[in-house]
Structure formats: structure tokens, C-alpha cells
Amino acid sequence: MRIGCPREIKNREYRVGLTPESAKELVANGHEVWMETGAGAGIGAYDDQYVASGAKVIDKVENIFAECDMIVKVKEPQPEEIARLREGQILYTYLHLAPDAAQTEGLVKSGCTAIAYETVTGPRGGLPLLKPMSQVAGRMSIQAGANALEKVHGGRGVLLGGVPGVLPGRVLVIGGGVVGFNAAQMAAGLGARTVIMDLDPEVLEKVGTHFEARASTRFASKANLEQAVAQADLVVGAVLVPGAAAPKLISREMLKTMKPGAVLVDVAIDQGGCFETSKPTTHDNPTYVVDDIVHYCVANMPGAVSRTSTYALNNVTLPHAIRIANLGWKEAMRRDAHLAQGLNVHAGSVTYPAVASELGYDLLPIEEAIA
């Protein structure tokens, strides 16, 4: 199989779909790897390293899309990339389709086979191709929130860890999954007064046992949520419904109860965001203010720590990429029902139930697509 990896073109996106080491593994399995010139520069991986790994470096990205059987990326394809996709071509990347009608329409019209990292499941549950980026984003959410809390950035002027004689800041983490757990680790590590909220008693028990006295847990009832939001200096939205749009947990009305200069960090923005007032931002302009509340809603947070993120991502995406290349996508999915859950669009049809339901498409069952 000929596998192409273009340079990411989303704002401030420095990650790359394949590291030189990953390219070498694919070449060792008998495949061709075409890298766009400069694709790995954002992680300090340069063209000569890819050539040494057995890959070819291609100047024109249009040639990669025109001649490669599978396109491996990090972020969802941008409009100019969607226009280059073709029938029968495999796209293997993060997609986050449920809140993105335009992207979904473009992929459907292209006729390509789109496999989403974020909906591939694991044998022990969870979303293993999403997990490393969730870990990164969770940890970064506290860094970003702490920065936004500084007065020069529009925040309350609160130091999360406090100092002797001054109480530390209050951090509310909504969601006790991978993002929330990692956010809470960072917040508690700084010495902030940290509260983790979730609807699942088993999740609350798990995180409560881990953090002991370093963080508190509360059931995420509406009354508890309203009270906790009003008290917080920093709120991290860390909720996920796999493949579907995120629920809106904080309304605009609730902002009026918050302290002026408090900060909301919406890690769920890739899936539409979990705050009513959320809208995607970029690393160039990461924050905006609504009703005196600072919002940080960068949709590709891990792109800022591109080297760490790329290697963490390749660790989990490469094994599936090799199987898809070795067996073809249909046979790979017949043999691995977890990989099959990654199929979101195929030959003009939507194959993932949550996306079809959210955006009003007729569903082509995955079982029929791979038959």
C-alpha cells in the first residue's frame, strides 16, 4: 500500500501523522510511505530523517492525495484537503464529525473511507486512540487555565497554588474520565482546592480513592453543579459522549453566578463544547470573554506540545495503520471489531450511529460496509 502523510495545515498544528520511526515500521512491512516536505518539522523530525527511514519526501501535497491509497493525519481534514480526497481512498485521522456538519458533508461527497481515531474502541473498554491526547489535553487544561487566570490575561489574578497565608484557588473539574483525571492530577499537584464532579458513582469512587485528601468528589446533580461553578476560580469541562456532540452543562445564565475573571477551559470543544457559550478558538487567539468570564476553547490543545503528543499518538495509531495496510481496511475490520468502530464514513454513507443521528443521515451499518 502507498501511504501518504501531508503536513498539518490547521492553525498552529505542529503534530504530524507519522514519525520517522513509524514510517520505518510501515516500510519494513513492505509499504511505500510518502511524506510531504516539512511535514515533521514541527516535532523536530526533518526530511533527511524520513528518507533515512525509507520514506519518500514529496514536494507537492496534491500528488500525495492523488496517488496514495491511505492518508494518515492528526487533525480533521481542512476544506482544501477534503476537496482532494477521492473515492476508495482511506483517511485515517481524528475527525470529530458529530458537531461538524460541513466536514461530514464533504467526506460523504468525496466517497472516501474515513476512519476516526476517536471512535476506535479497546478490548478493555475505553477509547485507546483518544486516550493519549486526552491525557495531554487534561494536563494542559490546568496550565492554560492558570495562565488565563493571570490579571494580564483578563483573569481574576489568582495563583492556583496560593502562598503561605493566602488560600489557594478553587478548581472544578467536570468529568472524571481520562481528561478529568489528568486535569485533577495537575490541579491537586499545584495545591489548588480541587473538586471532581461526575454522574457515575463508580468513577467518583475510583478518583476519590486515588486522590484521597488532595481532591474532593461530588455527584454532578444540577444543584451541586450550580453551587460548585459559582465557587470556582477555574472550571475545566472534561465530558465526552463517544462520537457524539458534548452535552451543554453550563448555561449562559450560570455565568452570572460566577466570580468576575473566573476561567472556563472547554476541553470538549472538539465535540462541540460542554458550555453554552463555548466557540472554537486557536493558539493565536486562545481566549475571549463573555459576561466577565474568560473562555479558553482551543480545539487542538495538544498541538502546542507537538513532539510529546505526536510520539504518544503514534504509539497507539501505528499498530492499526500497519494492520490496515497489510490486510486492507475491510479485512482488518472483520478481524478486529474494535477497529471497525472507527469507521465513520464509507463510499458516500455515514456508518457511525451517533454521527448519523446527530446530523440526520441515513445509517449504513458498519457490518454491511465491511461485508
Side-chain angles (χ1 to χ4, degrees):
M1 185 177 284
R2 182 176 291 157
I3 300 156
C5 183
R7 179 177 57 85
E8 295 292 324
I9 59 174
K10 188 166 185 170
N11 177 272
R12 299 292 184 183
E13 182 51 72
Y14 300 109
R15 291 172 290 180
V16 62
L18 295 172
T19 64
E21 295 85 351
S22 295
K24 188 171 185 176
E25 290 289 335
L26 287 162
V27 170
N29 275 268
H31 307 292
E32 286 186 49
V33 175
W34 287 17
M35 300 294 302
E36 183 183 356
T37 299
I43 67 163
Y46 300 103
D47 292 348
D48 60 339
Q49 294 172 257
Y50 284 103
V51 171
S53 297
K56 295 180 179 180
V57 174
I58 307 297
D59 289 332
K60 294 184 177 180
V61 69
E62 52 265 33
N63 291 346
I64 291 177
F65 280 89
E67 299 187 42
C68 289
D69 305 299
M70 176 163 66
I71 302 296
V72 179
K73 283 176 41 63
V74 178
K75 290 303 292 177
E76 71 279 358
Q78 301 303 292
E80 63 207 78
E81 295 175 310
I82 292 174
R84 293 186 173 120
L85 292 168
R86 52 187 167 77
E87 187 174 353
Q89 191 171 49
I90 303 165
L91 173 65
Y92 182 48
T93 188
Y94 285 119
L95 292 175
H96 302 290
L97 292 181
D100 194 341
Q103 184 199 171
T104 305
E105 181 182 4
L107 294 179
V108 168
K109 287 182 177 178
S110 76
C112 78
T113 296
I115 303 168
Y117 295 158
E118 73 273 8
T119 60
V120 174
T121 55
R124 290 178 293 277
L127 304 167
L129 276 61
L130 185 62
K131 184 175 182 178
M133 295 305 95
S134 297
Q135 292 169 326
V136 171
R139 295 179 184 211
M140 286 188 70
S141 69
I142 302 302
Q143 290 183 196
N147 185 258
L149 270 171
E150 294 177 11
K151 195 67 178 177
V152 292
H153 297 128
R156 278 173 49 75
V158 170
L159 182 66
L160 286 181
V163 292
V166 181
L167 286 171
R170 293 180 181 271
V171 175
L172 170 63
V173 179
I174 306 174
V178 177
V179 171
F181 181 85
N182 281 270
Q185 276 191 316
M186 294 292 284
L190 286 172
R193 290 174 285 175
T194 305
V195 175
I196 307 154
M197 301 191 77
D198 203 284
L199 287 169
D200 187 338
E202 290 189 7
V203 169
L204 294 175
E205 182 178 357
K206 177 183 174 182
V207 297
T209 300
H210 175 84
F211 287 105
E212 296 180 328
R214 294 182 297 130
S216 303
T217 60
R218 292 188 76 179
F219 184 73
S221 66
K222 184 172 176 57
N224 286 348
L225 183 61
E226 288 175 351
Q227 184 183 61
V229 165
Q231 295 172 344
D233 298 300
L234 168 62
V235 179
V236 176
V239 298
L240 173 69
V241 179
K248 299 291 187 283
L249 299 179
I250 295 182
S251 66
R252 181 161 189 169
E253 195 65 25
M254 291 169 70
L255 301 190
K256 297 174 183 176
T257 70
M258 298 181 70
K259 306 167 187 176
V263 174
L264 299 177
V265 176
D266 197 341
V267 185
I269 193 64
D270 269 340
Q271 294 293 143
C274 59
F275 309 140
E276 183 184 350
T277 46
S278 292
K279 61 182 180 182
T281 61
T282 67
H283 287 291
D284 281 341
N285 294 290
T287 63
Y288 60 93
V289 177
V290 177
D291 295 341
D292 296 324
I293 305 302
V294 181
H295 292 58
Y296 179 100
C297 303
V298 174
N300 60 327
M301 290 174 64
V305 287
S306 53
R307 188 172 178 87
T308 297
S309 297
T310 294
Y311 276 91
L313 180 60
N314 271 235
N315 287 344
V316 293
T317 57
L318 178 62
H320 286 304
I322 291 172
R323 280 191 283 273
I324 292 167
N326 286 351
L327 300 171
W329 70 271
K330 281 191 177 183
E331 183 59 26
M333 289 185 180
R334 290 188 195 113
R335 296 189 186 189
D336 186 347
H338 298 291
L339 174 59
Q341 289 301 307
L343 187 65
N344 275 224
V345 175
H346 170 60
S349 295
V350 173
T351 56
Y352 196 77
V355 175
S357 174
E358 188 75 30
L359 298 178
Y361 284 88
D362 292 333
L363 178 69
L364 172 66
I366 291 173
E367 297 75 19
E368 293 183 21
I370 66 176

